[in-house]
Amino acid sequence: MGHAIRGSSQGAGLLTLALVTASCSGNTAVQGGQTPQASQNSPAAAAAVVTVAPLDKARGVPTDTPILVAAQGGTLRQVVVRAVKGAKGSLPGVLSADGTQWRSRGMAAPGASYEVSATAVNPSGAVTTTTSSFSTVKGRETFAIENFMPGRDSTGLTVGVGMPVMITFDRDVTDRVSIERNLFVRTSRPVLGAWHWFDARNVHFRPKKFWPAGTKVRVEARLAGVRGGEGLYGAASKSVNFKIGRSQITRGSVQSHHLTVKRNGKVVREMPMSAGQGGNWKYHTTSGVHLAMSREDVTVMTSPGIGPGSAGYYQLTVYDTVRISNSGEYIHSAPWSVGSQGNSNVSHGCVNVSPSNAKWFLDNTLIGDPIIITGSPRPLEPMNGWGHWQESWRQWLKWSSLKHFNTDDV
């Protein structure tokens, strides 16, 4: 795994600093239970020196501070960073290839105390043991993931090539950089993409271009202990696995009154349609790159902004619907407008198709399939449903804290 590892770029510098300034406690050098002695004909081999950062008995250590252990004059045999108060378990870490440096991975818990125990050995076999301790900054509040999509229940785990990753938090967060650094996207093939903040609770990911068909994706939100703001820390980590299905892209024009469905580049269905009649702005079908947001056997539609008894009010039960925006637009069965489908626009903004075409479309659509409508004076707003692809790549990156990256390997 190697394309998109998030994390501080300061690790090497911190380790150098640790070698120079870090203190340690309890250093002893033993060999076979005895302090090593010099032979009569050679000088004594110097015991390995172990340094640890943070410093011994340090307080208020930020949870994302890496624990660094280094050995001079020897190699590390074992390093354990164990929670002794306010948390459970140990922090994992990575040992350098030459065995002289160790760096923790993951986050410490807020308001917890940790003990570092390290053992090193010098070339003569003399063992040095070091112990130290530190405590982390106290957290007053926690935040959690409230919604994570795609998901088994919300979208299914095989989705269309336009599907974004959407994370919603249960409260406002302000430290976007810390959060983004701990959001990992792993794929079966490299994909260029970026996270994008819509507001203080919603961060979404999309590739620069539609996902390649068949891509396997794993998203890891390693947010336990991650700082989300002043005194605010992540309560837990969460991950999701999903797969991108075949590439199916539907294109339609409100002027030609026609939908064309292409699967993996080949036309698989042509459908006459009738779009919004216009006149009133809300009765225009929106132009732009929509995504299939839901698939419903039955949907009850009511007139937007008009109540019962008012002119223009309606309540209608429709069948075989695929939602494409939050403003009430669907592709759905409309037996009453079959005569207009293919030649004129008579709907209140939805895309009308025949019952047989609607049933086929419902059965053959994945959540996240792109549906591109053109020819209307009303554009799809980026936040009207899943209008993520309405923003150019430059616009998308404007609201990313860490900008674009290539995904890691699954």
Side-chain angles (χ1 to χ4, degrees), residues 173-196:
V173 295
T174 57
D175 195 337
R176 298 181 176 185
V177 172
S178 291
I179 291 173
E180 272 193 55
R181 280 179 173 167
N182 290 280
L183 300 177
F184 297 79
V185 181
R186 304 181 181 279
T187 56
S188 56
R189 64 191 75 182
V191 175
L192 180 66
W195 292 95
H196 176 107

PDB file of all heavy atoms in Angstrom, residues 173-196:
ATOM      1  N   VAL A 173     -17.293  20.637  13.076  1.00  0.00           N
ATOM      2  CA  VAL A 173     -15.862  20.478  13.319  1.00  0.00           C
ATOM      3  C   VAL A 173     -15.139  21.644  12.650  1.00  0.00           C
ATOM      4  O   VAL A 173     -15.614  22.206  11.655  1.00  0.00           O
ATOM      5  CB  VAL A 173     -15.339  19.137  12.759  1.00  0.00           C
ATOM      6  CG1 VAL A 173     -15.979  17.967  13.495  1.00  0.00           C
ATOM      7  CG2 VAL A 173     -15.611  19.010  11.267  1.00  0.00           C
ATOM      8  N   THR A 174     -13.996  22.004  13.195  1.00  0.00           N
ATOM      9  CA  THR A 174     -13.247  23.140  12.658  1.00  0.00           C
ATOM     10  C   THR A 174     -11.845  22.775  12.185  1.00  0.00           C
ATOM     11  O   THR A 174     -11.296  23.449  11.327  1.00  0.00           O
ATOM     12  CB  THR A 174     -13.151  24.271  13.713  1.00  0.00           C
ATOM     13  OG1 THR A 174     -12.543  23.751  14.901  1.00  0.00           O
ATOM     14  CG2 THR A 174     -14.519  24.816  14.039  1.00  0.00           C
ATOM     15  N   ASP A 175     -11.250  21.718  12.744  1.00  0.00           N
ATOM     16  CA  ASP A 175      -9.901  21.335  12.351  1.00  0.00           C
ATOM     17  C   ASP A 175      -9.980  20.391  11.143  1.00  0.00           C
ATOM     18  O   ASP A 175      -9.838  19.174  11.252  1.00  0.00           O
ATOM     19  CB  ASP A 175      -9.164  20.659  13.504  1.00  0.00           C
ATOM     20  CG  ASP A 175      -7.658  20.579  13.272  1.00  0.00           C
ATOM     21  OD1 ASP A 175      -7.246  20.628  12.091  1.00  0.00           O
ATOM     22  OD2 ASP A 175      -6.905  20.468  14.253  1.00  0.00           O
ATOM     23  N   ARG A 176     -10.198  20.980   9.981  1.00  0.00           N
ATOM     24  CA  ARG A 176     -10.402  20.184   8.770  1.00  0.00           C
ATOM     25  C   ARG A 176      -9.125  19.476   8.331  1.00  0.00           C
ATOM     26  O   ARG A 176      -9.187  18.373   7.777  1.00  0.00           O
ATOM     27  CB  ARG A 176     -10.946  21.083   7.658  1.00  0.00           C
ATOM     28  CG  ARG A 176     -12.303  21.693   7.990  1.00  0.00           C
ATOM     29  CD  ARG A 176     -12.833  22.570   6.874  1.00  0.00           C
ATOM     30  NE  ARG A 176     -14.169  23.071   7.188  1.00  0.00           N
ATOM     31  CZ  ARG A 176     -14.918  23.788   6.366  1.00  0.00           C
ATOM     32  NH1 ARG A 176     -14.448  24.096   5.156  1.00  0.00           N
ATOM     33  NH2 ARG A 176     -16.130  24.207   6.724  1.00  0.00           N
ATOM     34  N   VAL A 177      -7.999  20.095   8.558  1.00  0.00           N
ATOM     35  CA  VAL A 177      -6.733  19.479   8.146  1.00  0.00           C
ATOM     36  C   VAL A 177      -6.501  18.180   8.912  1.00  0.00           C
ATOM     37  O   VAL A 177      -6.160  17.148   8.330  1.00  0.00           O
ATOM     38  CB  VAL A 177      -5.562  20.456   8.347  1.00  0.00           C
ATOM     39  CG1 VAL A 177      -4.228  19.745   8.117  1.00  0.00           C
ATOM     40  CG2 VAL A 177      -5.686  21.641   7.393  1.00  0.00           C
ATOM     41  N   SER A 178      -6.680  18.205  10.231  1.00  0.00           N
ATOM     42  CA  SER A 178      -6.482  16.990  11.032  1.00  0.00           C
ATOM     43  C   SER A 178      -7.421  15.881  10.589  1.00  0.00           C
ATOM     44  O   SER A 178      -7.030  14.714  10.507  1.00  0.00           O
ATOM     45  CB  SER A 178      -6.702  17.294  12.520  1.00  0.00           C
ATOM     46  OG  SER A 178      -5.677  18.110  13.028  1.00  0.00           O
ATOM     47  N   ILE A 179      -8.650  16.241  10.302  1.00  0.00           N
ATOM     48  CA  ILE A 179      -9.617  15.228   9.882  1.00  0.00           C
ATOM     49  C   ILE A 179      -9.247  14.661   8.519  1.00  0.00           C
ATOM     50  O   ILE A 179      -9.208  13.440   8.322  1.00  0.00           O
ATOM     51  CB  ILE A 179     -11.035  15.818   9.875  1.00  0.00           C
ATOM     52  CG1 ILE A 179     -11.486  16.082  11.318  1.00  0.00           C
ATOM     53  CG2 ILE A 179     -12.017  14.879   9.164  1.00  0.00           C
ATOM     54  CD1 ILE A 179     -12.787  16.811  11.440  1.00  0.00           C
ATOM     55  N   GLU A 180      -8.947  15.519   7.545  1.00  0.00           N
ATOM     56  CA  GLU A 180      -8.600  15.024   6.209  1.00  0.00           C
ATOM     57  C   GLU A 180      -7.369  14.131   6.227  1.00  0.00           C
ATOM     58  O   GLU A 180      -7.269  13.165   5.467  1.00  0.00           O
ATOM     59  CB  GLU A 180      -8.381  16.188   5.251  1.00  0.00           C
ATOM     60  CG  GLU A 180      -9.645  16.663   4.574  1.00  0.00           C
ATOM     61  CD  GLU A 180      -9.357  17.592   3.415  1.00  0.00           C
ATOM     62  OE1 GLU A 180      -8.595  17.200   2.498  1.00  0.00           O
ATOM     63  OE2 GLU A 180      -9.875  18.722   3.433  1.00  0.00           O
ATOM     64  N   ARG A 181      -6.409  14.456   7.086  1.00  0.00           N
ATOM     65  CA  ARG A 181      -5.197  13.635   7.165  1.00  0.00           C
ATOM     66  C   ARG A 181      -5.484  12.212   7.627  1.00  0.00           C
ATOM     67  O   ARG A 181      -4.659  11.316   7.439  1.00  0.00           O
ATOM     68  CB  ARG A 181      -4.195  14.287   8.124  1.00  0.00           C
ATOM     69  CG  ARG A 181      -3.399  15.423   7.512  1.00  0.00           C
ATOM     70  CD  ARG A 181      -2.468  16.019   8.538  1.00  0.00           C
ATOM     71  NE  ARG A 181      -1.573  17.007   7.932  1.00  0.00           N
ATOM     72  CZ  ARG A 181      -0.832  17.863   8.607  1.00  0.00           C
ATOM     73  NH1 ARG A 181      -0.881  17.861   9.937  1.00  0.00           N
ATOM     74  NH2 ARG A 181      -0.046  18.716   7.989  1.00  0.00           N
ATOM     75  N   ASN A 182      -6.633  12.014   8.209  1.00  0.00           N
ATOM     76  CA  ASN A 182      -6.965  10.693   8.733  1.00  0.00           C
ATOM     77  C   ASN A 182      -8.126  10.042   7.992  1.00  0.00           C
ATOM     78  O   ASN A 182      -8.743   9.108   8.495  1.00  0.00           O
ATOM     79  CB  ASN A 182      -7.260  10.807  10.230  1.00  0.00           C
ATOM     80  CG  ASN A 182      -6.002  11.103  11.026  1.00  0.00           C
ATOM     81  OD1 ASN A 182      -5.218  10.211  11.306  1.00  0.00           O
ATOM     82  ND2 ASN A 182      -5.796  12.375  11.357  1.00  0.00           N
ATOM     83  N   LEU A 183      -8.388  10.530   6.786  1.00  0.00           N
ATOM     84  CA  LEU A 183      -9.357   9.912   5.885  1.00  0.00           C
ATOM     85  C   LEU A 183      -8.579   9.266   4.752  1.00  0.00           C
ATOM     86  O   LEU A 183      -7.886   9.947   3.994  1.00  0.00           O
ATOM     87  CB  LEU A 183     -10.338  10.951   5.339  1.00  0.00           C
ATOM     88  CG  LEU A 183     -11.188  11.700   6.365  1.00  0.00           C
ATOM     89  CD1 LEU A 183     -12.045  12.750   5.668  1.00  0.00           C
ATOM     90  CD2 LEU A 183     -12.064  10.745   7.170  1.00  0.00           C
ATOM     91  N   PHE A 184      -8.669   7.960   4.625  1.00  0.00           N
ATOM     92  CA  PHE A 184      -7.886   7.207   3.651  1.00  0.00           C
ATOM     93  C   PHE A 184      -8.819   6.577   2.617  1.00  0.00           C
ATOM     94  O   PHE A 184      -9.816   5.952   2.986  1.00  0.00           O
ATOM     95  CB  PHE A 184      -7.069   6.108   4.337  1.00  0.00           C
ATOM     96  CG  PHE A 184      -6.041   6.625   5.301  1.00  0.00           C
ATOM     97  CD1 PHE A 184      -6.410   7.030   6.579  1.00  0.00           C
ATOM     98  CD2 PHE A 184      -4.706   6.709   4.933  1.00  0.00           C
ATOM     99  CE1 PHE A 184      -5.462   7.508   7.478  1.00  0.00           C
ATOM    100  CE2 PHE A 184      -3.753   7.183   5.821  1.00  0.00           C
ATOM    101  CZ  PHE A 184      -4.134   7.590   7.083  1.00  0.00           C
ATOM    102  N   VAL A 185      -8.472   6.729   1.345  1.00  0.00           N
ATOM    103  CA  VAL A 185      -9.217   6.084   0.263  1.00  0.00           C
ATOM    104  C   VAL A 185      -8.276   5.113  -0.424  1.00  0.00           C
ATOM    105  O   VAL A 185      -7.236   5.505  -0.964  1.00  0.00           O
ATOM    106  CB  VAL A 185      -9.751   7.117  -0.748  1.00  0.00           C
ATOM    107  CG1 VAL A 185     -10.551   6.408  -1.847  1.00  0.00           C
ATOM    108  CG2 VAL A 185     -10.615   8.163  -0.062  1.00  0.00           C
ATOM    109  N   ARG A 186      -8.639   3.843  -0.394  1.00  0.00           N
ATOM    110  CA  ARG A 186      -7.810   2.792  -0.987  1.00  0.00           C
ATOM    111  C   ARG A 186      -8.589   2.164  -2.140  1.00  0.00           C
ATOM    112  O   ARG A 186      -9.769   1.863  -2.005  1.00  0.00           O
ATOM    113  CB  ARG A 186      -7.442   1.741   0.063  1.00  0.00           C
ATOM    114  CG  ARG A 186      -6.741   2.325   1.285  1.00  0.00           C
ATOM    115  CD  ARG A 186      -6.375   1.246   2.287  1.00  0.00           C
ATOM    116  NE  ARG A 186      -5.733   1.808   3.462  1.00  0.00           N
ATOM    117  CZ  ARG A 186      -4.460   2.142   3.556  1.00  0.00           C
ATOM    118  NH1 ARG A 186      -3.666   1.969   2.494  1.00  0.00           N
ATOM    119  NH2 ARG A 186      -3.956   2.648   4.655  1.00  0.00           N
ATOM    120  N   THR A 187      -7.919   1.962  -3.260  1.00  0.00           N
ATOM    121  CA  THR A 187      -8.597   1.437  -4.445  1.00  0.00           C
ATOM    122  C   THR A 187      -7.754   0.362  -5.119  1.00  0.00           C
ATOM    123  O   THR A 187      -6.540   0.294  -4.925  1.00  0.00           O
ATOM    124  CB  THR A 187      -8.866   2.565  -5.464  1.00  0.00           C
ATOM    125  OG1 THR A 187      -7.632   3.212  -5.787  1.00  0.00           O
ATOM    126  CG2 THR A 187      -9.834   3.591  -4.909  1.00  0.00           C
ATOM    127  N   SER A 188      -8.423  -0.464  -5.930  1.00  0.00           N
ATOM    128  CA  SER A 188      -7.727  -1.541  -6.626  1.00  0.00           C
ATOM    129  C   SER A 188      -6.912  -1.043  -7.809  1.00  0.00           C
ATOM    130  O   SER A 188      -6.147  -1.800  -8.391  1.00  0.00           O
ATOM    131  CB  SER A 188      -8.741  -2.587  -7.108  1.00  0.00           C
ATOM    132  OG  SER A 188      -9.732  -1.998  -7.919  1.00  0.00           O
ATOM    133  N   ARG A 189      -7.093   0.222  -8.168  1.00  0.00           N
ATOM    134  CA  ARG A 189      -6.255   0.867  -9.172  1.00  0.00           C
ATOM    135  C   ARG A 189      -6.150   2.344  -8.794  1.00  0.00           C
ATOM    136  O   ARG A 189      -7.074   2.901  -8.204  1.00  0.00           O
ATOM    137  CB  ARG A 189      -6.859   0.713 -10.572  1.00  0.00           C
ATOM    138  CG  ARG A 189      -8.198   1.386 -10.764  1.00  0.00           C
ATOM    139  CD  ARG A 189      -8.854   0.983 -12.072  1.00  0.00           C
ATOM    140  NE  ARG A 189      -9.392  -0.362 -11.988  1.00  0.00           N
ATOM    141  CZ  ARG A 189      -9.981  -0.975 -13.013  1.00  0.00           C
ATOM    142  NH1 ARG A 189     -10.082  -0.377 -14.188  1.00  0.00           N
ATOM    143  NH2 ARG A 189     -10.465  -2.195 -12.869  1.00  0.00           N
ATOM    144  N   PRO A 190      -5.015   2.998  -9.089  1.00  0.00           N
ATOM    145  CA  PRO A 190      -4.843   4.396  -8.674  1.00  0.00           C
ATOM    146  C   PRO A 190      -5.909   5.305  -9.283  1.00  0.00           C
ATOM    147  O   PRO A 190      -6.218   5.212 -10.472  1.00  0.00           O
ATOM    148  CB  PRO A 190      -3.453   4.752  -9.194  1.00  0.00           C
ATOM    149  CG  PRO A 190      -2.751   3.447  -9.357  1.00  0.00           C
ATOM    150  CD  PRO A 190      -3.809   2.463  -9.765  1.00  0.00           C
ATOM    151  N   VAL A 191      -6.472   6.169  -8.457  1.00  0.00           N
ATOM    152  CA  VAL A 191      -7.490   7.122  -8.885  1.00  0.00           C
ATOM    153  C   VAL A 191      -7.142   8.478  -8.288  1.00  0.00           C
ATOM    154  O   VAL A 191      -6.884   8.578  -7.085  1.00  0.00           O
ATOM    155  CB  VAL A 191      -8.899   6.687  -8.432  1.00  0.00           C
ATOM    156  CG1 VAL A 191      -9.927   7.752  -8.780  1.00  0.00           C
ATOM    157  CG2 VAL A 191      -9.288   5.354  -9.068  1.00  0.00           C
ATOM    158  N   LEU A 192      -7.142   9.522  -9.092  1.00  0.00           N
ATOM    159  CA  LEU A 192      -6.893  10.871  -8.604  1.00  0.00           C
ATOM    160  C   LEU A 192      -8.197  11.448  -8.075  1.00  0.00           C
ATOM    161  O   LEU A 192      -9.208  11.477  -8.781  1.00  0.00           O
ATOM    162  CB  LEU A 192      -6.351  11.759  -9.734  1.00  0.00           C
ATOM    163  CG  LEU A 192      -6.035  13.209  -9.357  1.00  0.00           C
ATOM    164  CD1 LEU A 192      -4.877  13.272  -8.363  1.00  0.00           C
ATOM    165  CD2 LEU A 192      -5.720  14.030 -10.611  1.00  0.00           C
ATOM    166  N   GLY A 193      -8.190  11.886  -6.822  1.00  0.00           N
ATOM    167  CA  GLY A 193      -9.409  12.425  -6.231  1.00  0.00           C
ATOM    168  C   GLY A 193      -9.098  13.401  -5.122  1.00  0.00           C
ATOM    169  O   GLY A 193      -7.936  13.690  -4.827  1.00  0.00           O
ATOM    170  N   ALA A 194     -10.148  13.924  -4.482  1.00  0.00           N
ATOM    171  CA  ALA A 194      -9.957  14.905  -3.404  1.00  0.00           C
ATOM    172  C   ALA A 194     -11.200  14.959  -2.533  1.00  0.00           C
ATOM    173  O   ALA A 194     -12.324  14.702  -2.989  1.00  0.00           O
ATOM    174  CB  ALA A 194      -9.666  16.285  -3.981  1.00  0.00           C
ATOM    175  N   TRP A 195     -10.978  15.301  -1.268  1.00  0.00           N
ATOM    176  CA  TRP A 195     -12.067  15.585  -0.343  1.00  0.00           C
ATOM    177  C   TRP A 195     -12.522  17.023  -0.538  1.00  0.00           C
ATOM    178  O   TRP A 195     -11.752  17.875  -0.973  1.00  0.00           O
ATOM    179  CB  TRP A 195     -11.641  15.349   1.101  1.00  0.00           C
ATOM    180  CG  TRP A 195     -11.394  13.910   1.408  1.00  0.00           C
ATOM    181  CD1 TRP A 195     -10.197  13.251   1.379  1.00  0.00           C
ATOM    182  CD2 TRP A 195     -12.376  12.928   1.760  1.00  0.00           C
ATOM    183  NE1 TRP A 195     -10.368  11.917   1.697  1.00  0.00           N
ATOM    184  CE2 TRP A 195     -11.686  11.694   1.935  1.00  0.00           C
ATOM    185  CE3 TRP A 195     -13.763  12.967   1.948  1.00  0.00           C
ATOM    186  CZ2 TRP A 195     -12.358  10.519   2.298  1.00  0.00           C
ATOM    187  CZ3 TRP A 195     -14.427  11.796   2.307  1.00  0.00           C
ATOM    188  CH2 TRP A 195     -13.726  10.603   2.475  1.00  0.00           C
ATOM    189  N   HIS A 196     -13.766  17.290  -0.180  1.00  0.00           N
ATOM    190  CA  HIS A 196     -14.381  18.600  -0.396  1.00  0.00           C
ATOM    191  C   HIS A 196     -15.337  18.867   0.763  1.00  0.00           C
ATOM    192  O   HIS A 196     -16.209  18.037   1.062  1.00  0.00           O
ATOM    193  CB  HIS A 196     -15.135  18.561  -1.734  1.00  0.00           C
ATOM    194  CG  HIS A 196     -15.918  19.797  -2.066  1.00  0.00           C
ATOM    195  ND1 HIS A 196     -15.509  20.694  -3.030  1.00  0.00           N
ATOM    196  CD2 HIS A 196     -17.092  20.281  -1.593  1.00  0.00           C
ATOM    197  CE1 HIS A 196     -16.396  21.662  -3.138  1.00  0.00           C
ATOM    198  NE2 HIS A 196     -17.363  21.437  -2.269  1.00  0.00           N
TER     199      HIS A 196
END
